[in-house]
Each structure stands twice: as structure tokens, then as C-alpha cells.
């Protein structure tokens, strides 16, 4: 009986998996080559700048369908080419997986696009400049004009709130929704002991924001070490 | 009537713009190739050293006409070639624009050249070493002999004084004059939450000063963290 | 007489050396090429990341014989190729030396493999990020999820305990045993004023752990400089 | 009359210069190619490591004549080739100048070789790691085994003692003697607000010492920022 049950379970799993394959989301059609090229370039820039390590990722909303987004398969950002860009629906299901490895934390992107119609590009990094600010009480505030967009405040998302001690990766939609809720209407949210998420109306602005968020954090740490009041961007 | 007024306004704008084109400043003639080459090299050096990011710029006074200066079109310093060098009058009007993008903050250069006949090269950077000193009360003083030119003092320009909270870019002549006034007779002025301006009798000295200002700032931050009195260059 | 004695001593040494050669440990046979390639790649990665300087080394347990391990001859990690990989027994005797220079501290590897059957890769670095934590009372605790494996604690090995002031290199089996005892069942042990040893079930995990241990240490130093309580990974 | 006087002065200068040429020190003969190659390699290594900037220099004592030393003409260390190596006597006169530019501070080398028969290589750097320790009361002590040679103490040379406020460059023999006296029998002397001098029995050891002095200084600054007692190398 146990054997049969197991077989049934396995069969059920196969069936579910098959059903999932059957219901893969429809494509929005090919994105303009220029949009893909910008996305690839953003990967290269942030890799060169050392802001994006092997586990960070960048997406853009599909230019012709707001319910789809585009992101590389799971691959180091320094190696991304146009051929690596995949299409996802906002539940972060791939349109055409073809066996490729996916970033576990792609749910960050899908849930942010759902919650923020104004956002057309999302970047998730483990930027070493910002992480110290995610584990202390010192707020990450802008000191340099290039980072003045941080002036509205930088919330910190704490995965332990509501999800327990073991969940530090945004590995499903619920965690993504929680993170998007903490981001609210801001351009940047820190993830405690993990990194950040940076959003913008387009990938070029998102890329610049990502670089300047990291730079501002590093310079702020030095400014604070000098002592005395800090003259923040007002 | 409104339509007519609009048309008139548009015509007026066209006329003003045409007039402006008509009154583009006269050229001082081609600058010596060696001067251009030094300017290009300075861009490459400061980019390689990481002192000049994509938004910094370097100029030289025209070798044969003190009322003109030479600077690259708006382009990343690491990509500057001789073909990118443009000529400007001291009001920062291009002599021969040909549709090229210009640095918004070129007024820094024009106004400094007006105020400082002794200066033949101006550099504006967002040097991450100096910015922490621009937002704290800790003065940037020299600790290393290569930066002994800082001994005369490093003023900090605060754009909020007289220009309000939103003006952090030196986007017109008035802001440039204010900045040049704060620089006074010094070699370096910090711009609060923005970067610095470094001047010198020639581009080679300006380039060296720029590198050593940044290095001195970084080393001073470490020296201050060690505690106790700091032995500044006297 | 003295001459004779000397000749005897020399002969004895020759004989001992010959005997040693005679008793060189037997080979476990060639390791799979993929295992060797991973080991070479790990050397290149950690060299590129600046975690491994010219004196660090990486080993793997022989895939088909747990009593042998594989490690490069004494050579800078950035230059390691498959041809440089040598085989050692767990007393760190080379199977086939052929006159090649050996890392003096290879005993770290042999003794850890003896003490830790679960470990199949060992890395020894002079990682500049962790050394400050080896000479102060500040514990190296994880602040970033990638370094959560440090949560079990990072012991510090003090070579002065039991070996006197002059022994800072793990140049024999006894020192290696002492170090392995201090490591106990942990993934990382710091060596006071020297570096660290990082272990894992395989070389890929060991390499990642090595990178993240160094990064976590650097970010923790910044977080601590910001002041206030630090929110460690729980 | 003035004309005549000028002519006389010019003639005198010519004569003095001719006399100097006449009394140029005799060569010790060509140095072994391997020695030159080591010296060139040391320049490249220290340039690659960022320890030696464009104004640092490395010398070796002539292998066959202890009264001569070898050093590159004034050129950036990253560009040094064997053809740039010149020979000097211990008063730092070039044997065969041929119009080449010389390092102003070559007197450091000549005077150290006079005072220290045990030294066969001298390096002068503006290492940014050590300079903060040259301008504070915090002693540069070793925390890492690779820098244990600093255990004997690192004196700081203050050019203001005896030479006034304006002399920060070792531009003559007297300043070189003062610096060599402060170095005494140590391996490293810091120069206040300037850099350091590192000496060793050969260029390979000097190069290693130079790298580890800088690294130790950087790590010590971090260790001190962590607070509490520091466990120095004993």
C-alpha cells in the first residue's frame, strides 16, 4: 500500500509539474533589441564597478507588456549576453524555461513590478557598502548630490519579522510581497544582513542609483568616523 | 489669439536662438597639439586613478587667448580623445557647438578663469576621498608633503548659501562666480556634498594636485581614526 | 677522527634520506580531471579576489582515497595549473616529489583531513580582512547571510599556547594537530596574527566560504565603526 | 662689461661642469644580468601592488663593488626596464649620466649604503598605508607574522628636526645622513608626512618587507578601530 501511495504521490507530482509546464505564461513577444542591450550593459557596468557580485540580478519590465519582466538566467552578471535574457510573468514564472537555471530570488522583481506601476527596472545587489547600514541603527542618508534620491528615507526590510529566523532569501511570492511593502514608494530598500533593492523608471537610472547608493554609503561611513554633525543633503 | 501669441513666442525663441548662433564667440584659433595632448592625458590619468568619475571634467585656458578655454564635450573622461576637445569663451559659450552635448557645470571653469588670471587649468571632480570632509566640520589639512599646497586652507563652498536648497549643480554663471569667490586665491575648494575644484598654473600641476588632494584626504581620515594629535604639514 | 665522524654523519643522513625516499607513500592513482580542474579554478578565483596571496594554499581530499590529499607545489596561486598539483599522504609526505618545492605549512591540510572525515577541502589564507579579528578581542560573527556558516563561532588559534613565541608557522604535524583541535567541528579557525583556515565538504563550498569570511570581516569592521548594537545573523 | 661678465660666468659654469664630468666616479663594471633583472622585477611588483607610486625608487648595492649602487633613472616604476638602470657612487653621483633625469632623493640610498654595510637593497616609497602612522603618536607595530621584522621598532624621521620647516625631501647628503642615523640598525624608518625607507640584505627581501609593512599598517589601523588591546607579534 505504501508503495502504491508513493507511486501515486510521485505521479501526482509529475502531473502537477506537467500541468505547470502546460500553463507556462504566454510571451509578450520579443523585446526591442535596444532594451535588451541596455539590460546587458547594466549587468556589465555594475559588475565592473564591483557593486554586483555573482549573485546579484537586474531586470526590466517588458517594454510592450507591463505584466512581464526580463532578466538573465542564473549567471554571473559579468558574463551576461542578450542570449541569456529570459521573460517572466509577475509571479516570476518563466515563459520559456528550456531547462535553464533561475535566480531563486527572482520573486523580488515580480512582486515589486506588481506593487509599483511606476517602476520599470529593479536591481538586487549584495553591495558591500550598504550592508553595514542594514545591521546597525545608523540610517543610510544622502551626503552627496548624486544620491539625493535617498532623501525620502531608506527603509530596512527585516526578514525575521513574520518569516522566522531561517528565511533570508526572497524565495517565494509572499516574501517578495513583504519586501515590496517595506520598499513602499521609495527608490531603495535595504535587506538586513543581505543587500538592497534599487528601483527606477528605467534601467539607466536604476544603474546610476545603484552605484551612488553604494558610494554614498561608503563615504557616509567615513564621514561618521570623522565625528561631529554630518551635513546631509536637504 | 492664444495661438497667435504662442506662434509669436515660438518665433521669438527661434529669433533669440538664431541671434545666439549668430553671436557665437569667435575662435582663438587652433591650440597647439601638445596642449591638447596634455589635456587628453590628464583625463586618462585621473580616470585610471579613480579620481574622476563619469561626471568630472578638466579644462585648460587656451594657450594663445586667455579669454578662451578648452574642455571635452560631455563624455566620460576615460574615453576623451583630441577630437572631443571644444573651445569656450569665459561665459562658457561654445565657439563651435555642432550639436555636441556640453557639461552643465562648465560655468565652474569659465568663472574661475575670469577670477584667477594665474590659473591655466581647472579640474572638477566628485572625488570620494574628499567628500566626507565637505559634509563635516573636520578641516581638510595636509599631512603629506605632496599635498603641502593645501596648507593655505581648503574652503568649503555651500550652494545653499544664497541659492536655496535645490541648487547643487553649478549650472550658470552666477553659481560659478559664487564658487570662484569661495575658492578665492586657494588651489582647492570643496563643494559641500558634491566634490571639489582644483586649480593650477598648468594642467600637469592641476592633475598632480587632484591626485594628492584625494590621497591626502583618505590618509587623513585614517590618521584621525588612530586618535591623538595629527602632525600636519607646517 | 673528526673527519671520519663527519663522513659517517653525512653517510647516515644520506642513508636516512634514501630510506625516506624508499618509504615514500604509495599513490592513490590519478584523480579525476574534473576534480583537479576545480582545484585549479579555486586557486585562480581566490587569487583574483585578492583573498589568497602568494603564500596561501588550497587542497582537496583525493576523491578515491581518503588518506591522500592533492595540493599545488609551492607556487603563487595565480599561476597554478593542473601540472602543479601533487599528491600527499595525511602526514603530508609527497607521493612523488621530483625535487619540487613544497609549502612548509602543508601540515595544516594533512592534520585537518585526519581530524575531520567530513572535510574534503581545506584553504589556508592570509586574508587581510580577517587578521584584525585575530589580534583583538572582537569576535568575528556573521552579519551577512552568505557568511551565516560563521554562526557556530570562529575560534582563534594561538600558536604561543604550548609552542612558544617563535612558532607562527604550522611547519610540522604537532602544530597541525593543535590547529585542527582548535578548529574542532567549525568551518573556520583564525590563526592569531597570521590568517585563517577554511574547510568544507568540497572545494566549491570552501572557496565561497573563504570569500564570504573575508567580506563579512571587512563589513563587520565598518558596521562596528558606525557604533551601536550590531544585528548579527541569528 | 656685463656681457663679458656673463660670458665669464657661463665659461666658469662650463668649466665647473666639465670638471665635474672629469671627476665622474669610475664604473664598477657591468652588474650581473640576474641582479638587474631582480631590480626591474621589484619595480614592477611594487608598482602592481600599489605600494610604489610614480615617485618611489628601489636600489641595489652593486654586486661586485660595495661602493656603488644601481637604480633606475627618474621614471615611473611601472615602466622601468634594464636599460633604465644607472650606476651611482655612495655620494649619489652618477657614473655615466648621459643627460638622464635623476631622482632628487637618491641620497637616501647612498647614505644608507654608507651607514649600513649589511644592507644591499633600499626602497623608498610613499606607501599610503604607513603615512598615517608617520603623523600620529600611534606606533607602527607588527600584528602579522609576515611583518614580524618590525618587532625591533619603527623609528620616525622628522625632517623638521635640524633642517627647518621647508625640507621634506632628502635632496642632499646631509639629509640622507640624518635619515640613515634615524634608521640606525632597523629594517624600516618612517618619514613624517612623506613615506618610508625599507632596507634588507637583498632586493627580494626588501620587496617583501615593503609589501608587508604597508599591509601590516592597513590591518593595524582596522584592528585599532575595533577597540581593546591589540595582540602584537612578540
Amino acid at each position: 500500500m505504501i508503495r502504491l501511495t508513493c507511486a501515486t504521490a510521485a505521479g501526482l507530482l509529475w502531473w502537477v509539474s506537467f500541468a505547470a509546464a502546460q500553463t507556462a505564461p504566454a510571451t509578450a513577444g520579443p523585446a526591442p533589441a535596444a532594451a535588451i542591450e541596455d539590460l546587458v550593459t547594466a549587468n556589465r557596468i555594475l559588475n565592473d564597478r564591483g557593486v554586483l557580485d555573482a549573485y546579484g540580478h537586474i531586470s526590466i519590465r517588458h517594454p510592450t507588456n507591463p505584466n512581464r519582466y526580463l532578466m538573465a538566467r542564473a549567471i554571473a552578471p559579468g558574463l551576461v549576453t542578450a542570449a541569456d535574457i529570459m521573460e517572466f510573468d509577475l509571479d516570476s514564472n518563466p515563459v520559456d524555461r528550456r531547462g535553464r537555471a533561475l535566480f531563486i530570488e527572482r520573486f523580488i522583481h515580480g512582486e515589486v513590478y506588481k506593487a509599483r506601476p511606476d517602476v520599470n527596472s529593479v536591481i538586487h545587489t549584495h553591495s558591500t557598502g550598504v550592508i553595514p547600514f542594514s545591521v546597525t541603527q545608523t540610517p543610510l542618508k544622502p551626503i552627496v548630490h548624486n544620491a539625493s534620491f535617498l532623501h525620502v528615507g531608506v527603509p530596512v526590510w527585516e526578514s525575521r519579522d513574520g518569516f522566522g529566523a531561517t528565511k533570508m532569501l526572497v524565495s517565494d511570492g509572499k516574501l517578495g510581497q513583504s519586501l515590496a511593502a517595506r520598499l513602499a514608494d521609495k527608490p531603495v530598500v535595504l535587506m538586513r544582513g543581505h543587500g538592497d533593492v534599487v528601483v527606477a523608471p528605467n534601467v539607466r537610472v536604476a544603474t546610476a542609483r545603484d552605484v551612488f547608493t553604494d558610494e554614498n554609503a561608503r563615504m557616509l561611513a567615513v564621514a561618521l568616523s570623522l565625528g561631529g554633525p554630518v551635513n546631509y543633503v536637504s
Side-chain angles (χ1 to χ4, degrees), chain A:
Chain A
M1 287 285 281
I2 288 170
R3 213 167 202 173
L4 261 176
T5 310
C6 281
T8 309
L12 187 71
L13 276 174
W14 174 84
W15 179 84
V16 169
S17 144
F18 185 78
Q22 290 288 84
T23 59
T27 180
I36 301 288
E37 192 180 316
D38 268 11
L39 179 54
V40 170
T41 302
N43 274 276
R44 301 299 181 94
I45 288 173
L46 293 178
N47 178 66
D48 282 353
R49 299 284 300 223
V51 183
L52 216 57
D53 68 5
Y55 305 96
H57 22 90
I58 311 175
S59 70
I60 56 171
R61 200 189 285 270
H62 196 293
T64 60
N65 183 340
N67 294 315
R68 296 288 180 274
Y69 70 90
L70 303 165
M71 190 164 76
R73 65 184 175 97
I75 184 178
L79 302 176
V80 170
T81 66
D84 299 307
I85 305 301
M86 298 178 66
E87 184 184 349
F88 298 87
D89 70 8
L90 298 195
D91 289 328
S92 296
N93 298 306
V95 164
D96 180 23
R97 181 162 184 173
R98 283 184 275 143
R100 289 173 284 186
L102 308 180
F103 285 115
I104 293 168
E105 296 196 293
R106 64 190 181 278
F107 301 94
I108 295 171
H109 302 259
E111 298 303 329
V112 167
Y113 288 124
K114 280 184 198 168
R116 290 282 298 272
D118 61 310
V119 165
N120 293 308
S121 182
V122 175
I123 304 180
H124 168 52
T125 82
H126 304 121
S127 145
T128 57
V130 305
I131 288 173
F133 290 89
S134 79
V135 297
T136 56
Q137 300 301 311
T138 308
L140 178 55
K141 294 166 68 177
I143 58 169
V144 64
H145 72 306
N146 282 331
S148 59
F149 57 87
L150 299 178
H151 171 247
V152 293
V154 181
V156 179
W157 181 65
E158 170 56 85
S159 62
R160 283 184 285 216
D161 297 347
F163 296 93
T166 55
K167 294 267 189 181
M168 291 191 73
L169 293 182
V170 182
S171 52
D172 62 34
K174 274 197 180 166
L175 282 153
Q177 286 158 29
S178 166
L179 175 60
R182 191 87 181 102
L183 170 67
D185 60 349
K186 305 293 191 297
V188 178
V189 61
L190 302 191
M191 303 161 78
R192 194 265 308 163
H194 182 154
D196 62 9
V197 174
V198 175
V199 303
N202 64 62
V203 70
R204 294 188 180 202
V205 172
T207 301
R209 283 182 175 174
D210 202 32
V211 168
F212 294 127
T213 298
D214 188 69
E215 261 193 10
N216 185 81
R218 289 174 195 280
M219 290 191 284
L220 177 54
V222 174
L224 290 165
S225 83
L226 296 178
V230 169
N231 200 345
Y232 293 102
V233 173
S234 60

